[in-house]
Amino acid sequence: MGASERLEVGMKGARILLIAIALGFILGIAVGYVISMTPVPTKTLFASWFKAFGDIFVRLIRIIIPLLIFFTIAAATSSIASGRRLGTILVVMLVVYLGTSALAASLGVLAGQVFTPGAMVTLDVPKDYKPPSPPSGVDVLLSFFQTDFNSLLAVGGSMTMIIFAIILGVATVLLGEEGRRVAYYLSLASKTTISFVRVVMYYAPIAVFSYAAWLMISYGPAMLGAYARFLMSQYSLSIFHLVVVYSILVVLGGLNPLKYFRAQSTPFLIAFTTRSSAVTLPYNMEAARSLGVPREVYGLTLPLGATVNMDGTALYQALSAVFIAQLFGLTLTPYHISLLIIAAMIGSVATAAIPGGGTIMLAYVLSVIGLPLEGIGIMLVIDPITDAMRTAINVSGDNASAILISRLTGYKLELLHKP
Ligand code: ASP
């Protein structure tokens, strides 16, 4: 089979898989809705089985994540022969990531002020409440550098893995001719880890179906209840960020946004149901590749983005803080609001790319502006529904940024096929 035929078969396979995943999602919501009306013991039993079938998928992907992050970053770094180019990519990436996160956090604050989701309920501030002290700058800095090699392998410890892989990539470049041989093997290993994910991908429609049904059975009623206003605020502003802000990034990157949204639909659904940017990383890389983003760019920026670039989380954390302040009847001054935007940016960078990571880090954001940590308990009730949307936005932002970063660093999108 020739290369172009293989490509066509691959594209067709990807399209069938997308349809299967989308069908799984719709069917899962419908089945979950029907089961959510059955008596509690039946519901609970079904929910636990559905969740288990989804968890199998997440576990299979999690096994490969540390290797995938290591090999793709090391291979990408070692293939960028010039140190200056590597530096430019990293600097441009940082500016784009921080800029979009600041925008997302501001949208979160805006949503909180406009929709006032917490204004209808007033909770008493606990009597013995004292504002907690936030973690120090030293703690945050050192959390990026794990203490030993074993901790590199934890999914949450991926920042250290990224640093390790970049240094190793640079080291191979410094080795010259011999280093190029190492770079070749790193690239082969990176392709193999991606191929591993392609095998697991066949299970994705079942996993998406199972998770969608579980979400609906367990959390469907909350979407109609007291939390509806919060969810409406989060979902509408997140979609706005996705459609407007990312379209602008993609257009500035020189690509038709419709092509981006089409390629992004599979990672979006995978992120929505697995609620993990780390687990979605291989799908995001596949989408970037199909959009023609050069491997040197996506191999470096997407694993980093999955860990540090979380616009959906920044928006959620800022909105949650405003919501919690409203619930407790506390007023946020302009000073608090500026501090909140910065805290949500840092909080989203420090959030682990795993389900629920953003609500754990919300503790940091609340403590910076002195809001009651009881707010975490309130947000945990609907965490899986808020997490689904914030993860889908997080991964979409990584790919929109990759397109813009390619353009800004002098790369051209390598169109693989005529649309
Ligand atoms: N689950 C999100 C992610 O993996 C992080 C979060 O909880 O906000 O991107």
Side-chain angles (χ1 to χ4, degrees):
M1 201 191 297
S4 67
E5 276 169 72
R6 221 176 11 232
L7 196 65
E8 229 162 67
V9 172
M11 299 296 302
K12 212 163 135 201
R15 225 170 297 140
I16 292 174
L17 196 67
L18 169 62
I19 294 170
I21 288 173
L23 277 179
F25 183 74
I26 296 166
L27 223 69
I29 298 277
V31 169
Y33 177 73
V34 173
I35 296 178
S36 73
M37 289 184 289
T38 59
V40 174
T42 319
K43 263 201 311 212
T44 318
L45 184 70
F46 270 104
S48 60
W49 276 100
F50 280 131
K51 181 160 186 304
F53 280 108
D55 283 349
I56 291 175
F57 174 73
V58 167
R59 287 181 188 197
L60 285 174
I61 299 276
R62 278 180 75 137
I63 293 170
I64 200 74
I65 286 299
L67 292 179
L68 180 87
I69 291 188
F70 171 71
F71 283 118
T72 42
I73 292 199
T77 315
S78 60
S79 66
I80 303 172
S82 118
R84 237 175 100 195
R85 192 147 214 191
L86 176 66
T88 316
I89 295 179
L90 290 177
V91 170
V92 170
M93 183 192 73
L94 215 69
V95 172
V96 174
Y97 283 176
L98 290 182
T100 51
S101 295
L103 205 65
S106 311
L107 284 177
V109 171
L110 185 75
Q113 310 280 14
V114 172
F115 297 114
T116 56
M120 311 250 246
V121 187
T122 308
L123 303 178
D124 291 328
V125 180
K127 272 199 202 71
D128 50 356
Y129 171 69
K130 270 196 238 87
S133 47
S136 71
V138 171
D139 292 340
V140 174
L141 177 69
L142 284 183
S143 72
F144 290 157
F145 299 86
Q146 302 282 333
T147 45
D148 51 37
F149 192 80
N150 288 346
S151 339
L152 281 184
L153 298 175
V155 171
S158 45
M159 196 61 203
T160 317
M161 179 63 100
I162 288 168
I163 294 165
F164 174 63
I166 292 180
I167 297 177
L168 196 114
V170 172
T172 60
V173 174
L174 294 181
L175 274 182
E177 193 47 49
E178 281 180 320
R180 265 199 284 276
R181 291 220 297 274
V182 180
Y184 171 72
Y185 286 109
L186 286 174
S187 153
L188 277 188
S190 150
K191 283 183 189 157
T192 310
T193 52
I194 293 174
S195 181
F196 177 102
V197 176
R198 289 214 183 105
V199 176
V200 181
M201 231 183 235
Y202 291 108
Y203 184 65
I206 297 174
V208 167
F209 166 79
S210 309
Y211 267 152
W214 165 71
L215 269 178
M216 198 63 202
I217 298 172
S218 312
Y219 298 95
M223 289 189 233
L224 308 168
Y227 287 104
R229 238 175 130 105
F230 179 90
L231 292 172
M232 194 268 292
S233 317
Q234 188 212 353
Y235 270 56
S236 54
L237 267 286
S238 296
I239 300 281
F240 174 84
H241 191 75
L242 172 76
V243 174
V244 177
V245 178
Y246 295 159
S247 291
I248 295 175
L249 296 194
V250 170
V251 169
L252 290 177
L255 191 79
N256 180 344
L258 289 179
K259 274 186 206 149
Y260 158 76
F261 285 117
R262 198 163 60 197
Q264 197 57 34
S265 41
T266 302
F268 189 94
L269 284 177
I270 298 279
F272 195 92
T273 43
T274 62
R275 296 168 295 122
S276 168
S277 294
V279 168
T280 314
L281 175 62
Y283 298 85
N284 235 10
M285 296 193 359
E286 194 68 29
R289 197 187 61 84
S290 75
L291 286 169
V293 177
R295 184 186 278 266
E296 288 109 295
V297 176
Y298 77 72
L300 192 61
T301 64
L302 289 186
L304 256 161
T307 321
V308 304
N309 184 40
M310 298 196 178
D311 295 355
T313 301
L315 192 154
Y316 159 82
Q317 287 172 340
L319 173 62
S320 301
V322 177
F323 176 60
I324 290 160
Q326 286 166 355
L327 285 179
F328 286 104
L330 304 168
T331 319
L332 295 178
T333 62
Y335 167 73
H336 283 121
I337 289 182
S338 343
L339 204 61
L340 170 58
I341 292 174
I342 297 170
M345 281 168 69
I346 299 175
S348 66
V349 168
T351 294
I354 52 170
T359 302
I360 296 168
M361 246 329 134
L362 180 61
Y364 164 77
V365 178
L366 296 183
S367 61
V368 168
I369 51 171
L371 287 171
L373 283 188
E374 276 70 15
I376 303 294
I378 297 171
M379 298 317 297
L380 274 178
V381 175
I382 48 166
D383 191 58
I385 320 177
T386 58
D387 200 4
M389 180 51 89
R390 57 185 197 254
T391 312
I393 300 297
N394 290 346
V395 301
S396 306
D398 294 339
N399 245 342
S401 302
I403 293 165
L404 178 61
I405 295 166
S406 304
R407 176 99 183 255
L408 294 178
T409 51
Y411 284 95
K412 280 211 166 59
L413 297 183
E414 304 153 353
L415 273 191
L416 295 173
H417 60 101
K418 291 238 161 33

